[in-house]
Amino acid sequence: MKITTIAFISIMLVAAVFLSGCTSAPEEDAAITEINIGYQPSTHQISHMTAMEKGWWAEDLAPFGVEEVNEFEFPTGAPEMQAMLAGELDVAYVGAAPVISALATGLDAKIVAAVNTQGSDLVLRPEFPYESPEDLKGLTIATFPPGTIQDTLLRNWLIENGLDPVNDLEIKAMGPGPAKAAIAAGQVDGVFLPHPSPTFIEAEGNGRSVVASGEIMPDHPCCVLVVSGDLIRNNPEMVEQIVMTHIKAVEYDSANLEEAAETYGTKLTADQEIVLESLEEWDGVWSADPRPLVDSTVEYANIQYELGFINAELTAEDMFDVSFYEAVSED
């Protein structure tokens, strides 16, 4: 009886191991059939729009089993990073500063490529003179919420110029649409926004650009391409392709400015001539290489830490994985 019992138990254990292996294999081998990409409605991120409208995302990711590429528009980087923290996005075109905030609160992701540098303007209503930051005292300025590129740059610049961003003026958190409406209605005295918003405000006679963001912090990083840690660990070849497609779109837009303006205008129902004017006059630069952004993004992280927006200091290794760009770029 003992031998029979032992044999039976052994058979059951083997069967259990076998069945466990059979049931877990499909989960391990499950292909990713859907990719969710977040972006914002600024000319900084036209590379995503170009790749989407030309079908490059779908075409380039199909060999990896991706059947559907979904895009989600966000007004600013803060809600976009909340969506990524919730696991709703695999890829994000977003400002570097919101990524820092999200990483400091546990986001599992890395910056794998650059998108653009500079490209935002401080715009004041026509009746307000401007010669120096001192002229901003007592004014109300609308910009993106705390933890974003624009808010971080603006507050740090004010402090560097001897102004208290809390007591010397009022900074109101707004997305681009509400901010443009507010300056048009005289509800705020100025805005600090990414392009093409400054050019549209000027075209409508509601203000003029007085300081470009490159004057506030030369060559500052703005938007970056972020990929989830899950994709990086489990689908590195797909991440390489995502970076390659992004590079292709950046290079195409840089060589075809009028078509880039048309892509943006058509997608967002905006006046293409004003969009083109913005692209010709802004101080922004599209670029996919993340390496020049590393030091200045670490500086952003230090600024956010000093401003009290994040509770932990972040290193370059915490934020970047440049290996995918280096693996696919020609330089």
Side-chain angles (χ1 to χ4, degrees):
M1 289 292 293
K2 284 185 178 179
I3 295 174
T4 304
T5 302
I6 293 171
F8 176 76
I9 292 172
S10 298
I11 291 169
M12 291 301 291
L13 286 171
V14 171
V17 171
F18 177 77
L19 288 173
S20 174
C22 288
T23 55
S24 64
E27 185 177 335
E28 292 174 0
D29 297 335
I32 294 177
T33 59
E34 215 170 316
I35 290 290
N36 294 333
I37 303 177
Y39 76 102
Q40 295 165 47
S42 84
T43 47
H44 295 196
Q45 302 178 11
I46 288 182
S47 52
H48 160 69
M49 303 175 201
T50 296
M52 195 72 181
E53 298 310 306
K54 288 188 171 295
W56 291 344
W57 285 131
E59 179 184 335
D60 293 350
L61 297 180
F64 299 91
V66 175
E67 299 171 359
E68 192 169 357
V69 178
N70 305 308
E71 60 175 8
F72 299 89
E73 182 182 308
F74 295 86
T76 68
E80 185 174 2
M81 287 297 91
Q82 286 300 315
M84 199 165 200
L85 274 162
E88 296 168 3
L89 297 177
D90 305 297
V91 179
Y93 280 75
V94 63
V99 180
I100 292 167
S101 301
L103 289 170
T105 56
L107 176 66
D108 178 20
K110 287 285 194 295
I111 297 169
V112 297
V115 175
N116 83 295
T117 56
Q118 307 185 151
S120 298
D121 284 4
L122 175 62
V123 180
L124 293 182
R125 283 188 55 82
E127 62 266 30
F128 294 104
Y130 181 85
E131 292 184 3
S132 73
E134 188 74 16
D135 294 322
L136 301 178
K137 272 191 173 181
L139 301 188
T140 300
I141 307 296
T143 193
F144 285 3
T148 58
I149 288 288
Q150 286 73 24
D151 183 82
T152 301
L153 280 175
L154 179 61
R155 289 177 186 274
N156 189 63
W157 177 65
L158 292 170
I159 292 168
E160 287 180 341
N161 284 276
L163 296 177
D164 184 334
V166 175
N167 297 313
D168 285 335
L169 67 161
E170 183 179 4
I171 298 176
K172 285 191 173 182
M174 294 185 187
K180 285 192 293 182
I183 194 172
Q187 296 168 346
V188 298
D189 306 314
V191 299
F192 184 46
L193 296 173
H195 275 263
S197 293
T199 309
F200 273 91
I201 292 168
E202 289 186 346
E204 293 159 4
N206 296 320
R208 83 251 185 240
S209 293
V210 295
V211 181
S213 62
E215 299 174 61
I216 291 173
M217 183 178 179
D219 301 318
H220 71 83
C222 196
C223 294
V224 293
L225 182 63
V226 180
V227 175
S228 72
D230 180 65
L231 271 185
I232 288 172
R233 288 185 298 273
N234 299 315
N235 296 273
E237 292 183 357
M238 186 190 299
V239 176
E240 283 190 7
Q241 182 58 63
I242 287 169
V243 173
M244 286 176 66
T245 301
H246 170 62
I247 292 171
K248 176 168 62 174
V250 167
E251 291 177 348
Y252 187 88
D253 288 334
S254 299
N256 299 276
L257 213 58
E258 290 187 7
E259 189 175 339
E262 182 181 352
T263 297
Y264 180 93
T266 300
K267 190 172 186 67
L268 296 169
T269 319
D271 187 312
Q272 294 174 21
E273 290 186 8
I274 296 178
V275 175
L276 181 60
E277 181 183 344
S278 170
L279 292 177
E280 290 173 339
E281 294 181 353
W282 73 332
D283 72 344
V285 178
W286 293 319
S287 172
D289 188 350
R291 294 168 296 187
L293 273 58
V294 173
D295 290 343
S296 47
T297 303
V298 171
E299 185 179 347
Y300 270 156
N302 292 336
I303 291 170
Q304 288 206 23
Y305 181 71
E306 291 166 4
L307 290 172
F309 291 157
I310 60 175
N311 296 319
E313 295 183 90
L314 298 175
T315 66
E317 290 72 25
D318 294 326
M319 297 182 282
F320 284 87
D321 186 340
V322 302
S323 64
F324 296 101
Y325 178 85
E326 291 177 336
V328 302
S329 64
E330 296 180 357
D331 54 331

